[in-house]
Amino acid sequence: MLLNGSTNVVTTLGYPISQSLSPAMQTAAFQSVGLNWIYIAWGVRAEHLAVTLQALKAWENHAGSNVTAPHKETIIPLLDGLTEAAARLQAVNVILRPEGKMIGHNTDGEGFIASLREEGIPPGGKRVTILGAGGAAKAVAYALQDAGAAELHLVNRTPARAEAWAPGLAAAGKARVSVHPLAGDPARFLEGTDILVNATSIGLQPEAVPLFDYAILRPPLVVTDLVFFPRETAFLRKARANGCRTLNGLGMLLHQAALSFQGWTGKAAPLPLMRERLETVLAERERSAT
Ligand SMILES: NC(=O)c1ccc[n+]([C@@H]2O[C@H](COP(=O)([O-])OP(=O)(O)OC[C@H]3O[C@@H](n4cnc5c(N)ncnc54)[C@H](OP(=O)(O)O)[C@@H]3O)[C@@H](O)[C@H]2O)c1
């Protein structure tokens, strides 16, 4: 593709941003559907977020953005509005540009559900335990509520963080919602669980103490971790060794990206190509980390 004066630009805003796997995946996807668009990672420190948003608003060939840590919540007052998905989570991972406006949206939860369905794990009627209560846990919990999960057990080191949003989650659907402290016997929240979602960031912390004794993770429990680098966290490794079916966060990353692509372009995302590019850049990152 030849970059020219008509090239549209999509950015991802975060800090740090050098770890982003999206530029190669999204640029290849744009080109494969015949769009003269590119995707670039834009490292933005918190103190520069407001001026960055002003610049993006003024940039007529800015077609949209992704938003990542640490800006998913603080970006909200800088936008022109939110979709329902972003409003209820009070978190944004996508900026859409209808009629030049900056509208915050969120595809994280829907991306997680798509990754489960792709693996033949429909969440309807399931009892799900979610470890963690940050933005990712909340997005996944609301999406599971929408998808018809029967029970949602929210477990966090700091239970107050889950208690703050559990009533809104309970009011959003029919699933029974309960909150549990992480400390103590994990059987309290794992009893009867069909799907366990690790939405803590412990998999990114190689030296972290395990959340609990993972010997309790036994089939038929399906065990997922939202982390994708490393592909197999200590949590997933132990669950797999015990015989559980496991799933990492790569599928969620792919599907939230595909939903972002559809939001910006109005076109169906070229999923096989995006998956292949994602695998390639992740393999490169793994090679450079060793
Ligand atoms: N695959 C994807 O597409 C995707 C998308 C979004 C996020 N993620 C991943 O999801 C994870 C969570 O993201 P987030 O945005 O929700 O992060 P966050 O808001 O920082 O929340 C982190 C959560 O992890 C818990 N935690 C951290 N260290 C812990 C430890 N040592 N022991 C027990 N609990 C611990 C925190 O508990 P406290 O509340 O007690 O501090 C909190 O519940 C990250 O690893 C992120 O990379 C993946």
Side-chain angles (χ1 to χ4, degrees):
M1 185 197 62
L2 192 63
L3 299 183
N4 58 27
S6 310
T7 303
N8 273 352
V9 179
V10 175
T11 63
T12 183
L13 309 173
Y15 198 86
I17 202 66
S18 59
Q19 79 289 352
S20 176
L21 303 177
S22 299
M25 169 176 60
Q26 292 286 13
T27 299
F30 295 146
Q31 292 177 11
S32 79
V33 299
L35 290 171
N36 180 9
W37 290 26
I38 59 167
Y39 184 108
I40 56 170
W42 192 341
V44 183
R45 290 178 192 264
E47 61 270 31
H48 297 140
L49 189 60
V51 74
T52 300
L53 264 282
Q54 276 182 346
L56 290 178
K57 271 185 198 179
W59 194 3
E60 294 200 358
N61 54 334
H62 171 247
S65 288
N66 278 132
V67 182
T68 188
H71 306 314
K72 284 184 168 182
E73 285 135 28
T74 51
I75 202 161
I76 289 175
L78 304 170
L79 298 171
D80 297 317
L82 298 177
T83 62
E84 199 186 325
R88 68 182 186 172
L89 297 175
Q90 285 298 297
V92 164
N93 79 322
V94 182
I95 300 174
L96 304 171
R97 299 296 315 262
E99 293 149 17
K101 289 197 169 69
M102 306 277 274
I103 303 296
H105 181 45
N106 200 304
T107 61
D108 278 337
E110 218 184 315
F112 174 75
I113 299 296
S115 75
L116 278 187
R117 290 214 163 104
E118 182 173 57
E119 292 295 320
I121 310 166
K126 296 290 193 307
R127 293 161 296 187
V128 185
T129 295
I130 302 171
L131 307 171
K138 191 175 177 185
V140 162
Y142 269 89
L144 284 163
Q145 176 69 285
D146 289 349
E151 289 179 24
L152 294 168
H153 306 291
L154 312 179
V155 180
N156 203 36
R157 177 176 62 182
T158 314
R161 202 167 168 196
E163 277 156 7
W165 52 267
L169 174 68
K174 292 187 181 149
R176 275 186 29 224
V177 175
S178 59
V179 176
H180 308 262
L182 177 64
D185 183 358
R188 287 170 300 125
F189 47 80
L190 285 177
E191 185 71 45
T193 295
D194 301 304
I195 303 172
L196 176 62
V197 183
N198 186 359
T200 74
S201 49
I202 192 171
L204 304 175
Q205 311 160 19
E207 308 303 323
V209 177
L211 296 168
F212 47 80
D213 182 355
Y214 299 150
I216 194 172
L217 306 178
R218 294 275 163 198
L221 187 64
V222 173
V223 180
T224 74
D225 195 323
L226 304 192
V227 169
F228 53 83
F229 185 81
R231 286 178 202 251
E232 188 172 58
T233 58
F235 175 79
L236 283 192
R237 192 161 52 248
K238 184 69 182 171
R240 185 170 58 85
N242 292 353
C244 294
R245 179 152 185 215
T246 61
L247 188 66
N248 72 12
L250 203 56
M252 175 176 173
L253 180 72
L254 173 72
H255 286 284
Q256 66 75 29
L259 291 161
S260 303
F261 178 98
Q262 284 166 26
W264 300 316
T265 67
K267 293 175 185 282
L271 212 53
L273 172 76
M274 292 176 79
R275 190 189 313 275
E276 184 234 297
R277 289 303 154 105
L278 192 55
E279 284 290 347
T280 304
V281 285
L282 184 57
E284 266 167 30
R285 190 168 155 197
E286 285 168 338
R287 267 195 302 278
S288 60
T290 52

